[in-house]
Amino acid sequence: MKAETFKVACSNCNLRELCMPVGFDEKDMHKLDEVVTTRKKIKQGELLFENGETFTSLYAIRTGFFKTSVASEDGREQVTGFQMAGEIIGLDGIVSDQHTCSAVALEDAEVCVMPFDHIEDLSREFPVLQKHVHKIMSREIVRENGMMMLLGNMSAEERLANFLVNLIQRLFARGQSQSEFILRMSREEIGSYLGLKLETVSRTFSKYSEEGIIEVKQRHIKILKPDVLKQLVKSPNCK
Amino acid sequence: MKAETFKVACSNCNLRELCMPVGFDEKDMHKLDEVVTTRKKIKQGELLFENGETFTSLYAIRTGFFKTSVASEDGREQVTGFQMAGEIIGLDGIVSDQHTCSAVALEDAEVCVMPFDHIEDLSREFPVLQKHVHKIMSREIVRENGMMMLLGNMSAEERLANFLVNLIQRLFARGQSQSEFILRMSREEIGSYLGLKLETVSRTFSKYSEEGIIEVKQRHIKILKPDVLKQLVKSPNCK
DNA sequence: CTAAATCTTTGACGTACATCAAGAAGACTT
DNA sequence: AAGTCTTCTTGATGTACGTCAAAGATTTAG
């Protein structure tokens, strides 16, 4: 059940600053529109791509929310990231021409399909696009370095604080409320991402709640003391 | 104390198949030599680059062995990788024009310095180089996804088995003995990489040793039952 | 509107790994 | 060759988080 497709352009996309390079003049901007061939709608719970699937395209998220995950031989799942509007997914597929993780929509979503061949062709023509692609990939590498720090060194409390602060920052960058939001993922998915069990995630939420740092009602989160939360975060030290 | 530098070429480098793209003809091959400006020697214990340092170049390891690590605000260290001959380091620096991790030589080493500007210029000219750069970055992303699985889901025994099997495979690709080798890193560094304490690493080595899977004498490792070790590895499932 | 299914919370208890500590084995120094 | 330092091993003990279980809360199905 493949979702509908549309023909669209980056040049007048309100997310452009989040997902595409700046510094294009009018003329080049329209050439850049060629990066995106179509849009695609993904319903909640559906796969955008799956482990093992042939890699053809990167996807820019226009609306909605995704999780990516890898699976071990014996079926354990590790959530490797949560992605929202303006973010690019599919980079894992480049190395071997097939995806090594799966991407599932956690709410109804729409993505811009960017065939990687187009991206490569255009980025030979436009150095600013080339640079941008490199930065996107490097950013992902740096993010995962940070996740290794989190998974290898941090306590449950630090992990969850990290998770929440990161979420807040990304919501802020999108002009959404930083103090109140709805989690798109289950406790189990948060746990998988943070290397914890769902019970531990739940207990840690409760602990923060008792301490008056946040207010939790199922998936509704209200941040009462963002500063306390930020103090709990010992993010990788960038000089 | 900056190390000496040399002028050299990829075209006659014995590691080319590990670190550079194949499918170049004679003429292009010599253009590719421009990627590497100089070589640089790094003594054991010295830094190749450091967190916070301005990013200029990627480095291809010619000889020697490195670790990369990130540090948290409060000083905890997370080893993010061990790199050997033919591997490329420095990708973390691209996104913000400064390095976010540090690279230390664990034995005397020599690297090829590849200014990233050159790489970008040349890869606009040579699609095969462009593709190769993309694959290197994607490979690192996939590797780190695997590390997240390891750190988030695996027992100490699985982690160490994973570590050893990975090491063996990379030694094999370099024509070295897969059954006997010397670890270049301390128990503490292995522990940091695997999200364990050095005592746990040591105990797990001892356990494998008691079970006749490996022979351990300090940093000398002999693999007696590679198959048993491989069975312990539940690597990410690639369809 | 009721029933079933799913998700979340909370409690009681277990365990894998961490911590603390001390000795042994190498590795560098003079 | 003796002494110092660092790394590694092993034991005893502690603890943060996992596991198991049951009772709300919420969503979906009929």
Side-chain angles (χ1 to χ4, degrees):
Chain A
M1 89 169 165
K2 286 283 164 186
E4 307 166 55
T5 55
F6 297 85
K7 177 69 193 156
V8 259
C10 297
S11 44
N12 57 358
C13 174
N14 59 346
L15 286 167
R16 203 173 57 73
E17 282 170 20
L18 280 170
C19 96
M20 274 294 144
V22 290
F24 268 67
D25 59 26
E26 189 70 13
K27 180 176 91 298
D28 290 351
M29 199 62 236
H30 284 287
K31 288 285 282 181
L32 183 64
D33 287 348
E34 290 171 29
V35 177
V36 177
T37 51
T38 54
R39 286 197 191 152
K40 189 170 168 185
K41 292 195 175 189
I42 315 289
K43 283 232 180 303
Q44 186 176 135
E46 286 184 0
L47 284 160
L48 174 55
F49 55 80
E50 194 178 3
N51 175 24
E53 204 174 300
T54 301
F55 166 77
T56 60
S57 307
L58 298 181
Y59 304 94
I61 303 173
R62 251 191 76 74
T63 61
F65 202 92
F66 286 85
K67 72 165 179 185
T68 47
S69 61
V70 291
S72 67
E73 284 172 34
D74 58 346
R76 282 173 285 187
E77 183 194 43
Q78 173 71 40
V79 171
T80 53
F82 297 110
Q83 297 83 13
M84 56 178 77
E87 296 176 335
I88 309 290
I89 53 184
L91 299 170
D92 62 284
I94 298 169
V95 61
S96 59
D97 289 316
Q98 59 174 42
H99 287 285
T100 57
C101 67
S102 303
V104 177
L106 295 181
E107 61 179 6
D108 289 1
E110 189 179 13
V111 300
C112 299
V113 180
M114 307 185 289
F116 194 59
D117 291 346
H118 290 216
I119 293 179
E120 291 193 321
D121 291 346
L122 281 168
S123 70
R124 262 179 273 122
E125 198 173 340
F126 299 110
V128 54
L129 177 61
Q130 178 193 37
K131 181 123 249 164
H132 190 68
V133 170
H134 291 156
K135 291 202 180 214
I136 285 171
M137 299 188 80
S138 176
R139 177 177 304 130
E140 179 63 9
I141 289 169
V142 170
R143 182 188 75 84
E144 294 194 13
N145 280 176
M147 283 308 294
M148 287 176 71
M149 166 65 80
L150 181 145
L151 292 167
N153 272 301
M154 294 193 191
S155 67
E157 280 184 57
E158 291 175 313
R159 292 183 201 199
L160 197 64
N162 230 298
F163 170 75
L164 288 173
V165 169
N166 176 269
L167 214 53
I168 289 167
Q169 286 169 346
R170 286 154 74 201
L171 291 174
F172 177 61
R174 284 155 185 81
Q176 294 180 242
S177 168
Q178 317 167 55
S179 59
E180 212 165 332
F181 52 88
I182 294 173
L183 295 172
R184 255 67 226 207
M185 68 296 276
S186 70
R187 298 289 187 264
E188 186 164 18
E189 287 163 333
I190 297 171
S192 171
Y193 183 54
L194 299 178
L196 301 170
K197 293 293 156 183
L198 71 296
E199 293 95 330
T200 304
V201 173
S202 180
R203 274 186 247 270
T204 309
F205 270 131
S206 299
K207 176 145 192 281
Y208 285 158
S209 184
E210 282 159 28
E211 292 168 347
I213 299 172
I214 61 174
E215 209 178 287
V216 187
K217 214 178 273 167
Q218 302 285 127
R219 295 191 180 185
H220 295 254
I221 306 285
K222 198 179 285 184
I223 308 291
L224 303 174
K225 298 180 184 165
D227 298 345
V228 178
L229 216 49
K230 274 165 201 154
Q231 276 169 19
L232 286 168
V233 175
K234 310 285 187 312
S235 47
N237 174 27
C238 291
K239 282 178 189 165
Chain B
M1 93 172 177
K2 287 282 164 185
E4 308 166 54
T5 56
F6 297 84
K7 175 71 194 153
V8 260
C10 298
S11 43
N12 57 359
C13 174
N14 59 347
L15 286 168
R16 204 172 58 73
E17 282 171 21
L18 280 169
C19 95
M20 275 293 144
V22 290
F24 269 68
D25 59 26
E26 190 69 15
K27 180 174 90 310
D28 290 349
M29 199 61 236
H30 284 287
K31 288 284 283 181
L32 183 64
D33 288 348
E34 289 172 30
V35 177
V36 177
T37 51
T38 55
R39 285 197 192 151
K40 188 171 168 184
K41 294 196 173 188
I42 316 288
K43 285 232 179 303
Q44 185 176 138
E46 286 184 358
L47 285 160
L48 174 56
F49 56 79
E50 193 178 3
N51 175 24
E53 204 174 300
T54 301
F55 166 77
T56 59
S57 308
L58 298 181
Y59 304 94
I61 302 172
R62 252 191 75 75
T63 61
F65 202 92
F66 286 85
K67 71 165 179 185
T68 47
S69 61
V70 291
S72 67
E73 285 172 33
D74 58 345
R76 283 173 285 187
E77 184 193 43
Q78 173 70 40
V79 172
T80 53
F82 297 110
Q83 296 83 13
M84 56 178 76
E87 296 177 335
I88 309 290
I89 53 183
L91 300 170
D92 61 285
I94 298 168
V95 60
S96 58
D97 290 316
Q98 60 174 40
H99 288 285
T100 56
C101 67
S102 304
V104 177
L106 295 181
E107 62 180 5
D108 289 0
E110 190 178 13
V111 301
C112 299
V113 180
M114 306 185 289
F116 194 60
D117 291 346
H118 289 216
I119 294 179
E120 292 193 321
D121 291 346
L122 281 168
S123 71
R124 262 179 274 122
E125 199 173 341
F126 299 109
V128 53
L129 177 60
Q130 178 193 36
K131 181 124 248 162
H132 190 68
V133 171
H134 291 157
K135 292 203 181 217
I136 285 171
M137 299 188 81
S138 176
R139 177 177 304 130
E140 180 64 8
I141 289 169
V142 170
R143 181 188 75 83
E144 296 194 13
N145 281 335
M147 283 308 294
M148 286 177 71
M149 165 65 81
L150 180 144
L151 292 166
N153 272 301
M154 294 194 191
S155 68
E157 280 184 58
E158 289 174 316
R159 293 183 200 198
L160 196 65
N162 231 296
F163 170 75
L164 288 173
V165 168
N166 176 269
L167 214 53
I168 289 167
Q169 286 169 345
R170 286 154 73 201
L171 291 173
F172 176 62
R174 283 155 186 80
Q176 293 180 242
S177 168
Q178 317 167 56
S179 60
E180 211 165 334
F181 52 89
I182 294 173
L183 295 173
R184 255 67 226 209
M185 69 296 276
S186 69
R187 299 290 188 264
E188 185 164 19
E189 287 163 334
I190 297 172
S192 171
Y193 183 55
L194 300 177
L196 302 169
K197 293 293 156 183
L198 72 294
E199 294 96 328
T200 305
V201 174
S202 180
R203 273 185 247 270
T204 310
F205 270 132
S206 299
K207 177 147 192 280
Y208 285 158
S209 184
E210 282 159 28
E211 290 168 350
I213 299 172
I214 62 175
E215 210 178 288
V216 186
K217 213 177 273 168
Q218 304 285 124
R219 295 192 180 185
H220 296 253
I221 305 286
K222 199 180 284 183
I223 307 289
L224 303 175
K225 298 179 184 166
D227 297 345
V228 178
L229 217 49
K230 273 165 201 152
Q231 276 169 20
L232 286 168
V233 175
K234 308 286 187 312
S235 47
N237 173 27
C238 293
K239 281 179 189 164

